[in-house]
Amino acid sequence: MNGGTSDEDYREALDAAHHHAIAWVESVRDRPVRPDLDVDGILARLTPRLPEAGMAPAAVIEELAEAAEPGLMAMGSPRFYGFVIGGTYPAAMAADWLVSAWDQNTGSRQPTPATAAVEEVAAGWLLDLLGLPAASGVGFVTGATSANITALLVARDAVLRERGHDPSLSIQRAPAIRFLAGDAVHTSAVLAGRIAGLGVPTTVGADEQGRIDVDGLTAALEGHDGPTIVALQAGDVHSGAFDDFTRAIDVAHLHGAWVHVDGAFGLWAGASPRHRHLVAGLEHADSWGTDAHKTLNVPYDCGVAIVRDEAAMTASLGAHAAYLPAVASVADPYDHVPELSRRARGVPVWAALRSLGSRGVADLIDGLVSAAQALADGFRSVPGLEVLNDVVFTQVCLAARQDADTQALGEWLRAEGTVWASSSSWRGRAVVRFAVSNHGTDGEAVRRTVDAVARGAAAIGISR
């Protein structure tokens, strides 16, 4: 091999990585979820200055694994409920290893036909599963935020073109675009709007579960004929609630607005016959964003940006240069994302879907919702605690009567290590938020979680 490496170097390094990866995966279910060391603790285990002499590849992996292991969060644990992060299915993890080994820059169909084709199939499967228009453009990006950015860039350009402005010539002197959202809009959509040049959205109200106020949206739309983008959401980050897509999309389109749906984890409700009613009417929006490493349980990183009008997607994001290969009338992968170079992150999506089948995906969704509802039932049996949200999907917000007790409970749980859940505030109350996203969160995981919460409440002195 060139560069001073040999086939044996690869084999030994990969064998070492395989050993440590298997050891980690096999420990995740039972180990404490929290890391044992913080950043400073891990820094103390790492060489601060780059040595002059190098090290054998396998030895590098050994040093890395030994230094990092105490600082790893068991995010793949069935009792990890923080930040809406899923686990990883075996086929998806293994496919991701192959993606690294193949090392294909999946920007163009011509030089990387294998990974481009696999991603195209995965995109078609996703559209079918989620009940979205089959001709939509699909781009595999890093996460839900990048998916929202991608879609809002396309939305921005589309609404300007409708007003006779060519966005490719700059948006400096373009008509001002109104960006509207509900009061519970997620920070991901807010950030995406800022990056896309739309600014922070004007909010139009929301109900007690975070669903957009459609009457407020109607009032904001009436009497204004300028370009407008409306952001809706499938799955509120605290309550799990879904906007009324049928009414909201109808009124937005009546006023000529583009509708984008932030469905980071909730878009997947469309893959379950039992929960599809939650996203009724969503298919009539203009764009959607979601995360495959949340509900679908593929490795980081894999967001999905979807736009109904593929031509609009290509017009905004398409790359053109003499050195770039092109196939007439067919969009390349880099025509659907804001990147020229990227890994084949859609391949693990294909692997997860092929492993599960459509019935398995539906069972995954149903199982996550059932686990969330079981957690809520268990929490309600703990004296002094209450569940604040209607548990319609995968989110559970737990609180004590006093905010200080709620905050202490969250800190106790994260330090004790049986579970890890995020602390937050919702509707003026401190909450501990449990986001059920891991396919392994079964009855035993629920039992252990409820037991940990009961022990924490007792330790803190929470009672009726």
Side-chain angles (χ1 to χ4, degrees):
M1 301 289 291
N2 294 327
T5 61
S6 67
D7 289 342
E8 192 63 21
D9 287 329
Y10 282 100
R11 181 177 297 279
E12 290 177 355
L14 290 171
D15 283 346
H18 176 262
H19 167 77
H20 287 287
I22 293 298
W24 172 257
V25 169
E26 290 180 345
S27 75
V28 161
R29 178 170 288 274
D30 295 317
R31 70 184 293 130
V33 181
R34 50 145 176 80
D36 291 329
L37 295 179
D38 60 11
V39 171
D40 289 337
I42 298 301
L43 285 172
R45 297 167 66 89
L46 296 168
T47 304
R49 293 174 63 95
L50 179 64
E52 182 178 343
M55 181 183 287
V60 170
I61 299 304
E62 294 291 346
E63 180 178 303
L64 172 64
E66 181 180 353
E69 196 273 342
L72 296 175
M73 174 82 77
M75 287 186 172
S77 168
R79 300 179 311 284
F80 179 82
Y81 304 101
F83 309 117
V84 198
I85 294 174
T88 305
Y89 277 113
M93 181 184 294
D96 199 53
W97 285 10
L98 281 179
V99 167
S100 292
W102 290 341
D103 200 22
Q104 304 288 287
N105 180 0
T106 306
S108 171
R109 300 168 95 246
Q110 188 190 86
T112 56
T115 52
V118 171
E119 287 197 343
E120 286 184 24
V121 172
W125 287 351
L126 283 174
L127 295 174
D128 183 54
L129 278 171
L130 300 175
L132 301 179
S136 299
V138 178
F140 291 100
V141 292
T142 58
T145 300
S146 55
N148 288 335
I149 292 168
T150 301
L152 290 181
L153 287 172
V154 179
R156 178 199 68 191
D157 291 357
V159 297
L160 291 180
R161 279 193 296 270
E162 288 177 357
R163 301 296 169 137
H165 181 83
D166 184 354
S168 69
L169 301 179
S170 166
I171 62 169
Q172 299 289 348
R173 298 179 182 176
I177 301 171
R178 284 205 310 168
F179 183 30
L180 305 178
D183 283 8
V185 59
H186 190 272
T187 186
S188 169
V190 174
L191 177 60
R194 288 169 48 205
I195 292 173
L198 305 175
V200 174
T202 298
T203 55
V204 300
D207 68 11
E208 70 283 354
Q209 294 296 311
R211 293 176 288 251
I212 193 170
D213 181 348
V214 180
D215 291 336
L217 175 63
T218 303
L221 289 166
E222 288 177 345
H224 179 87
D225 60 359
T228 304
I229 297 170
V230 175
L232 304 179
Q233 64 178 355
D236 179 84
V237 73
H238 286 101
S239 70
F242 293 72
D243 287 342
D244 183 341
F245 298 112
T246 298
R247 290 184 61 218
I249 293 172
D250 280 352
V251 71
H253 282 169
L254 180 65
H255 291 85
W258 177 290
V259 179
H260 172 67
V261 177
D262 174 11
F265 63 94
L267 201 66
W268 297 92
S272 163
R274 187 185 303 176
H275 295 97
R276 194 169 291 149
H277 66 280
L278 295 170
V279 294
L282 174 145
E283 69 276 11
H284 299 300
D286 301 290
S287 59
W288 308 262
T290 191
D291 249 345
H293 64 246
K294 295 185 185 297
T295 309
L296 186 60
N297 282 225
V298 306
Y300 270 98
D301 55 23
C302 190
V304 187
I306 306 170
V307 176
R308 172 188 296 276
D309 184 352
E310 185 185 30
M313 198 175 199
T314 300
S316 292
L317 304 171
H320 307 283
Y323 70 91
L324 294 175
V327 179
S329 76
V330 180
D332 272 305
Y334 53 50
D335 292 324
H336 292 164
V337 298
E339 305 163 282
L340 277 178
S341 301
R342 66 171 176 85
R343 67 188 280 108
R345 57 175 64 99
V347 171
V349 173
W350 179 93
L353 295 177
R354 185 66 184 88
S355 173
L356 292 169
S358 59
R359 183 180 303 174
V361 176
D363 289 343
L364 165 64
I365 307 307
D366 296 344
L368 297 177
V369 178
S370 293
Q373 293 171 342
L375 283 176
D377 290 341
F379 294 158
R380 293 187 186 103
S381 70
V382 180
L385 299 181
E386 60 179 320
V387 174
L388 300 185
N389 64 307
D390 298 334
V391 184
V392 298
F393 201 54
T394 57
Q395 309 297 94
V396 183
C397 279
L398 181 65
R401 287 194 298 271
Q402 301 297 321
D403 281 354
D405 287 341
T406 303
Q407 292 162 351
L409 177 61
E411 293 168 0
W412 187 94
L413 290 170
R414 291 188 292 273
E416 192 270 344
T418 299
V419 305
W420 205 100
S422 304
S423 290
S424 186
S425 59
W426 185 57
R427 291 169 55 186
R429 301 272 302 272
V431 297
V432 182
R433 184 181 62 114
F434 293 77
V436 182
S437 307
N438 191 299
H439 67 277
T441 305
D442 55 12
E444 175 63 11
V446 168
R447 184 196 66 75
R448 291 183 63 181
T449 301
V450 174
D451 174 71
V453 167
R455 287 188 288 110
I460 294 166
I462 299 173
S463 65
R464 294 190 192 280

